Amino acid sequence: MRILKVNHNDAGQRLDKFLSKAVQGLPMSLMYKFIRTKKIKRNRARTEPSVMLCEGDEIQLFIREEFFASPEEDTGALSRIRPKIEAVYEDDNILLVHKRPGVLVHEDDEAQDNTLIMHIKAYLAQKGEYDPEAEQSFAPALCNRIDRNTGGIVIAAKNAEALRVMNQKIRDDEVRKFYYCIVHGEMPRREDTLRAYLRKDSLHNQVEVTDTPLHGSKEIITKYRVIASRGGNSLLEVELVTGRTHQIRAHLAHIGHPLLGDGKYGVNRADAQAGYKFQALYARKLIFNFKDESGALGYLKGREVALDDDAIWFYDDFFTRDIPSAAMPKPKPNQKGKGSAVRAKAATGATMAHQRTKSKAKPSTPAKGGKQRYGNGRTKGDRK
């Protein structure tokens, strides 16, 4: 028998969620069977998978030792890594980090240790704020994600309560998210609220945007404000009201204004020749628009955190360089009357004749600090 004592970071979650992380070698089907047959108890009494755990609870597990054998996180890596963290804001509960374009937020097949979350874990471990050996079910985690080639502010939670509260605030639309981007063409209005529907294709890592709902689609709402227009392009501040995958990129392409450098939802041959090899998009500002000051993060109510304009690699370029201009016409409604759609590689099809003209602009370089990368700083592709 083993006894797991529920600590502060374990409390406030369901028993089955806790066990799935604390006993990773135990299959979910067996877990539910063992709870049902009283081989797993809470405080020496029969329990249910959905019971919410409290700090100090004891979980008795009358199961074979082999279930406790599971791959351990390489805690040695947390001491070996030299954290590259640009903290924008930090307190005892959360850490806001400036993620540079080209940095992966989570590990994939190519990068395990050289990711933003591993650098955050190493940073907190080396500060003495995170001890992986003392935790049973919690590790510092990200509350929001941005694409590999998009830069900007990312929220990390230092403890389980902060993670739960911040995730709930985001779900309740109490965290406002603002981006800067450059789009091809001049916008029809100085500011507007766009509404459409988005359907995700996980297999091909792309999305489809339509004017009317399709099976499996979700509503998207995107607000924009024109900061400046120059040379047939526009610099926008965009607020994400809903936060769907690739929403800004696909939604703006859908109305005929793809992002500069976006090869997934636009045609970026001329952009790439001019040095814009990935989307000009940056998560610049967060406003914690909390309804009240109660709870673990109530002190953040009304706080605004933003990056300086010169931290955004394309901001100065917009006002000082001749950037390729090529607006895409909005796709025509399809024959079935279900609305128009924008797919990867702009299945929209626009053959931008003026994009074929070779740009005379010199390749761009990121603005202040823009060359910082983790590892080899690869920027090819979009892993999200």
Side-chain angles (χ1 to χ4, degrees), residues 264-284:
K264 183 178 285 284
Y265 299 102
V267 179
N268 71 334
R269 288 187 295 272
D271 298 351
Q273 290 172 2
Y276 300 93
K277 298 182 179 179
F278 50 87
Q279 64 272 9
L281 179 65
Y282 232 84
R284 176 182 174 269

Side-chain angles (χ1 to χ4, degrees), residues 58-277:
E58 290 188 348
I59 310 301
Q60 293 82 31
L61 299 103
F62 300 87
I63 62 178
R64 297 192 300 273
E65 283 294 315
E66 64 189 67
F67 293 123
F68 295 95
S70 61
E72 299 293 334
E73 181 178 294
D74 182 8
T75 55
L78 301 184
S79 60
R80 292 194 305 270
I81 292 174
R82 298 181 62 182
K84 297 178 182 178
I85 295 294
E86 296 180 67
V88 181
Y89 171 86
E90 183 175 10
D91 61 33
D92 291 341
N93 295 310
I94 66 168
L95 171 65
L96 305 188
V97 175
H98 179 187
K99 184 194 90 70
R100 296 287 181 169
V103 177
L104 280 171
V105 292
H106 286 119
E107 59 273 4
D108 68 357
D109 293 337
E110 295 182 9
Q112 297 296 325
D113 294 344
N114 202 23
T115 61
L116 182 65
I117 189 58
M118 281 299 292
H119 280 254
I120 289 173
K121 289 178 181 178
Y123 170 76
L124 295 176
Q126 292 171 27
K127 284 181 63 180
E129 295 189 43
Y130 169 52
D131 180 3
E133 295 184 355
E135 296 292 345
Q136 300 177 107
S137 65
F138 175 79
L142 302 180
C143 303
N144 65 322
R145 297 179 61 177
I146 52 181
D147 297 343
R148 178 175 188 166
N149 289 329
T150 299
I153 301 174
V154 176
I155 307 171
K158 294 184 177 183
N159 55 65
E161 185 174 14
L163 180 62
R164 287 193 293 272
V165 172
M166 186 61 73
N167 284 342
Q168 188 61 52
K169 295 293 187 184
I170 292 173
R171 285 192 293 270
D172 292 342
D173 298 325
E174 295 183 36
V175 179
R176 299 178 67 187
K177 295 162 283 187
F178 295 83
Y179 292 70
Y180 272 179
C181 67
I182 299 176
V183 298
H184 286 297
E186 296 189 5
M187 305 301 290
R189 297 183 178 87
R190 297 301 296 176
E191 57 183 270
D192 201 359
T193 299
L194 308 176
R195 296 176 182 270
Y197 296 87
L198 180 147
R199 181 166 62 179
K200 185 176 180 180
D201 180 353
S202 299
L203 182 62
H204 298 97
N205 189 33
Q206 64 190 54
V207 301
E208 176 185 18
V209 174
T210 59
D211 291 324
T212 54
L214 301 178
H215 177 70
S217 65
K218 296 181 179 179
E219 184 182 23
I220 54 173
I221 304 173
T222 310
K223 295 182 178 181
Y224 75 82
R225 176 177 66 86
V226 178
I227 298 172
S229 297
R230 181 176 181 270
N233 298 305
S234 300
L235 176 65
L236 309 181
E237 180 183 63
V238 176
E239 180 180 2
L240 273 181
V241 180
T242 56
R244 313 294 185 199
T245 301
H246 298 173
Q247 177 176 324
I248 294 176
R249 298 166 62 187
H251 204 171
L252 290 171
H254 174 68
I255 65 168
H257 298 279
L259 269 62
L260 177 72
D262 192 349
K264 183 178 285 284
Y265 299 102
V267 179
N268 71 334
R269 288 187 295 272
D271 298 351
Q273 290 172 2
Y276 300 93
K277 298 182 179 179

Side-chain angles (χ1 to χ4, degrees), residues 351-369:
T351 56
M352 310 169 190
H354 41 305
Q355 257 198 346
R356 296 195 184 107
T357 303
K358 192 172 183 179
S359 171
K360 296 181 180 180
K362 295 180 181 179
S364 69
T365 56
K368 185 185 299 181

